[in-house]
Amino acid sequence: MAEALTGEAILAATEEVLRRYGPAKATVVDVAKALGVSHGSVYRHFPTKAALREAVTRRWLDAIHVEMESVLDENASASDNLRAWLQRLFDKKRRSHVDEPELFATFRVLVSESCVIPDYHIGHLVGQVARIISAGVETQEFVTDDVERTAKAVWDATDMFHHPAHAQEWGDPHIQAAFDAVVSLVIAGLRYNRTPSAAGDA
């Protein structure tokens, strides 16, 4: 008796099809063929091609979210955790771009296709940064009046080291030194500066 077709099996097959053909040519029929089922069987789990592509994109991003979560060390200082977290994210994005450029480009296309996926992804990661900053505030290592705004500011300040638009710059031989300088500046700011209130300074 054949095993029941699962959503997870479909998503795994879809990722392989996307890897093989790219987002422009990959079809639901290709996914069905890879699984040895009819395309109708795939549609029973994912009603549209767009729904399938969004689901596989979420699956890929969720793996990143879990990996980034694993970086945090409850015994480390907030500064060390923030530096390690930003370094891991930079290393992961840079390695993906260099080692699997086709897959990197594919998921960049898939993320851009959705109006909700970018916010979903950034929300998760900025939320992790906010947790690091909040822990630093609790231990009086960091000072901020607004953890959420500060976390987003850290994300924006380090944009060059994680946004795919900057991927071509990641091969610069001085990029690690630039990363270290930016992160050191960010951490110094968290230690000594206060975030302006939402209403702005008088």
Side-chain angles (χ1 to χ4, degrees), residues 36-133:
V37 301
S38 69
H39 64 279
S41 298
V42 175
Y43 281 126
R44 278 194 284 275
H45 287 264
F46 301 96
T48 65
K49 178 181 177 180
L52 176 58
R53 287 161 78 101
E54 183 167 303
V56 78
T57 306
R58 283 181 183 267
R59 179 179 183 267
W60 179 66
L61 294 176
D62 284 341
I64 296 176
H65 302 158
V66 171
E67 179 179 338
M68 294 306 301
E69 186 80 26
S70 71
V71 176
L72 305 183
D73 180 355
E74 62 182 15
N75 296 316
S77 68
S79 295
D80 287 346
N81 264 333
L82 183 57
R83 186 180 294 276
W85 190 94
L86 290 167
Q87 183 72 64
R88 174 68 68 86
L89 183 63
F90 180 35
D91 289 344
K92 181 168 185 61
K93 293 293 184 76
R94 180 168 47 177
R95 189 167 55 248
S96 178
H97 172 62
V98 172
D99 296 345
E100 297 185 294
E102 295 84 3
L103 193 61
F104 182 84
T106 290
F107 278 104
R108 185 176 176 184
V109 169
L110 295 184
V111 169
S112 69
E113 286 179 348
S114 170
C115 60
V116 297
I117 287 292
D119 287 344
Y120 170 77
H121 181 48
I122 293 172
H124 268 275
L125 296 182
V126 172
Q128 290 183 18
V129 174
R131 284 173 47 202
I132 298 171
I133 294 172

